[in-house]
Amino acid sequence: MRLTVNGRVHELQVAPDASLFEVLRNRLALTGTKVACARGECGVCTVLLDGETAYSCLTLAIACDGADVLTVEGLAPPGTLAPLQRAFIAHDATQCGFCTPGQLIAAHALLAASPHPSDDDIRQAMSGNLCRCGTYPKILSAISAVARGEFADTGGADAA
């Protein structure tokens, strides 16, 4: 199969039952994507698949032949942080950090579709991503700040 991940094309042979999560993490060493429930209930494994959020734990890799995938590693060039990443740090929205990659991808998808979402829009868009630390108000605050332009891209000046 052929899979484009974070702009890089990969030619892979995968087992028919391999999940996209397994391929990303175990074959491509993209360890930012995590799995918690493995049932599509928590959103920790969220990636963008052809521009739409998808739970990588439930998505068969073979069904992604020819697809474009964005993981948390692809949000910004190496050595830099995306505006959302900077906002999550500044607003202390990461806490334990386990859910953060999925939260960031879901927030990225929301802002791509709706650059100036209301608080209710943010809550709705993020409802498929659970945070066991309960930092929902901080996550909402971070996303709102990016939407207001408070973390405008600085051209890659921020180091990771």
Side-chain angles (χ1 to χ4, degrees), residues 101-137:
Q103 297 278 0
L104 288 166
I105 291 293
H108 175 81
L110 165 66
L111 293 174
S114 177
H116 302 288
S118 68
D119 286 355
D120 285 341
D121 292 337
I122 295 170
R123 285 185 195 96
Q124 177 63 33
M126 301 303 291
S127 66
N129 294 77
L130 302 180
C131 173
R132 61 185 171 192
C133 299
T135 63
Y136 300 111

Side-chain angles (χ1 to χ4, degrees), residues 81-108:
L81 295 174
L84 274 168
Q85 292 168 310
R86 294 194 314 271
F88 268 57
I89 292 166
H91 287 262
D92 197 23
T94 58
Q95 291 294 309
C96 83
F98 196 78
C99 72
T100 304
Q103 297 278 0
L104 288 166
I105 291 293
H108 175 81

Side-chain angles (χ1 to χ4, degrees), residues 5 20-26 28-30 33 47 56 69 71:
V5 181
L20 179 58
F21 167 78
E22 293 167 327
V23 170
L24 293 172
R25 193 167 176 87
N26 301 334
L28 301 180
L30 295 169
T33 302
V47 297
S56 63
V69 177
T71 69

Side-chain angles (χ1 to χ4, degrees), residues 11-12 26-27 56 64 66 71 82 132 151:
E11 298 281 343
L12 303 160
N26 301 334
R27 297 282 303 279
S56 63
C64 300
T71 69
R132 61 185 171 192
F151 289 86

